[in-house]
Amino acid sequence: MEHSSFFDFLNNELINYNSNGERISLPLSIQLELTSLCNMHCKYCYNSSGVKDNNELSIDQWIIVLNKIIERGGIFQCTFSGGEPLLFPNLNILMDTLYKDGTSFNLITNGCLLNEEQVIKFKKYNWNWIQISLDSQFAEIHDYVRGYAGGWEKAVNGIKILVANNMPVHVACVVTKYNLYNLKEFVSFCKSIGVTKIRFSEVLFSGRACDGKLLLTAEEKDYFKKTVDELMLYNKKEQDIKIEIATSYREQLTNLKKYAPLSIIIRPNGDVKIDCVLPFVIGNVKEESLSKIWQNVYSFYDSKIKNEYIDNALQGEIKVKNNFDPDIVFKKEVK
């Protein structure tokens, strides 16, 4: 089935209606941004993470949210992110709550806080992947763009611990002018430490990257795509490491206009968003249940304000910058 046909199937047969012809009550998956606190200060962070928000949900509030989700039938998978999710106290309590209901997990982390004890605790859960951010085989480049001296060494150590424990570790590499011309060598390095999957991505126009300083030029984008295509072709034959290229900012915008969302994001303060690039909040779990908020997704998907924003953004006209300017709170449009 082609990519577009697959998403059309999901929208027509799965996202909009269940087997009884009713709207489904929850998304297929959720991403929990547990905290905005982070031990790094990445120059391109799409979330502008760093300092803890005083309005963040407590562990008790998160458990209430998760129990309500389970009461409504649960979700297939949950992704934990931040900020840095390993800075959130009692992460394992949240995982246990969903694990008992059969949920599988993903984790997005910079890897600096991973240790043997933590990984052993993780081993009991059903993991799809654990993603570690690593931007270069050179410590000075990684530490510079991520604003954290010693971060490279800790991230590599975290990767090695995961590999040694047979955990499904993936590396996420954000491509900038600082590492663009060393991608082939970077892949070789990742192989040498046991990595079996790398996901390359461009900088998203969001958060701290809204200053545009780390965005690739058209010429650099062409080189990036050509290089990654070559790496994907070569390593597909070798079958020793899988290489992916993440959906670009423009592709994400296009998909958000065409396809209804499969998942949602709950931010540290309880705000609910459908993605990482649009500055729209469709509800807050402190004020209403996620199942009620999810029903608002259909109105948002068809809304004039969302589609006009995407059309303007695709033309380079972005008046409200995501995770940089205050979010737009979506109100259901009266027809």
Side-chain angles (χ1 to χ4, degrees), residues 43-292:
K43 297 181 182 299
Y44 45 68
C45 180
Y46 79 90
N47 254 350
S48 298
S49 297
V51 179
K52 184 177 181 180
D53 187 333
N54 292 328
N55 295 316
E56 291 185 3
L57 273 68
S58 66
I59 180 69
D60 291 336
Q61 288 173 313
W62 277 117
I63 290 175
I64 290 172
V65 170
L66 297 183
N67 281 332
K68 286 182 178 179
I69 290 172
I70 292 170
E71 289 172 4
R72 293 300 298 245
I75 52 170
F76 288 102
Q77 68 174 352
C78 177
T79 300
F80 294 104
S81 67
E84 172 49 51
L86 296 183
L87 285 171
F88 183 81
N90 302 312
L91 170 61
N92 289 79
I93 293 178
L94 297 185
M95 298 184 72
D96 285 340
T97 302
L98 289 171
Y99 174 67
K100 293 172 185 176
D101 193 53
T103 304
S104 63
F105 299 116
N106 308 314
L107 177 68
I108 300 174
T109 173
N110 58 44
C112 292
L113 299 176
L114 281 173
N115 55 52
E116 190 75 29
E117 180 182 1
Q118 177 72 74
V119 171
I120 289 174
K121 289 180 180 178
F122 280 167
K123 291 186 75 171
K124 78 172 185 179
Y125 303 114
N126 298 321
W127 288 99
N128 300 305
W129 45 260
I130 297 175
Q131 177 180 293
I132 306 290
S133 303
L134 191 68
D135 286 343
S136 178
Q137 71 274 34
F138 301 118
E140 57 270 26
I141 292 177
H142 176 89
D143 291 354
Y144 173 73
V145 295
R146 295 200 169 264
Y148 183 69
W152 181 89
E153 183 177 358
K154 292 179 180 179
V156 170
N157 183 61
I159 291 170
K160 291 179 177 179
I161 292 173
L162 290 168
V163 169
N165 283 276
N166 297 312
M167 299 290 280
V169 57
H170 300 166
V171 161
C173 176
V174 180
V175 178
T176 65
K177 62 183 179 181
Y178 298 105
N179 61 359
L180 174 62
Y181 299 103
N182 294 296
L183 300 184
K184 293 180 180 179
E185 293 81 2
F186 177 70
V187 170
S188 296
F189 172 76
C190 287
K191 288 182 185 181
S192 73
I193 58 174
V195 174
T196 57
K197 182 176 178 180
I198 303 173
R199 183 180 177 89
F200 290 108
S201 66
E202 296 180 32
V203 173
L204 285 178
F205 187 80
S206 177
R208 281 197 284 272
C210 285
D211 61 10
K213 293 180 180 179
L214 289 180
L215 299 178
L216 298 179
T217 65
E219 182 179 348
E220 288 171 336
K221 286 182 180 180
D222 288 342
Y223 179 86
F224 168 49
K225 187 176 185 307
K226 179 182 178 182
T227 301
V228 175
D229 283 347
E230 291 175 356
L231 286 168
M232 291 172 67
L233 181 61
Y234 174 78
N235 287 285
K236 186 177 181 180
K237 295 177 181 178
E238 295 296 315
Q239 296 185 340
D240 56 353
I241 190 168
K242 184 175 182 180
I243 294 176
E244 294 182 348
I245 185 167
T247 307
S248 70
Y249 178 72
R250 290 188 63 83
E251 290 170 331
Q252 288 190 45
L253 289 173
T254 301
N255 289 340
L256 285 166
K257 185 171 183 180
K258 185 175 181 181
Y259 303 117
L262 301 171
S263 61
I264 52 89
I265 299 171
I266 304 179
R267 306 219 63 202
N269 65 353
D271 281 345
V272 177
K273 304 180 79 172
I274 67 165
D275 69 287
C276 298
V277 297
L278 294 182
F280 294 97
V281 171
I282 60 172
N284 188 292
V285 294
K286 291 180 181 178
E287 301 168 1
E288 53 188 347
S289 69
L290 184 61
S291 59
K292 184 176 181 180

Side-chain angles (χ1 to χ4, degrees), residues 322-335:
N322 188 50
N323 294 331
F324 184 86
D325 297 316
D327 286 324
I328 302 168
V329 178
F330 172 74
K331 302 292 184 181
K332 187 174 181 179
E333 297 169 351
V334 178
K335 297 182 179 180

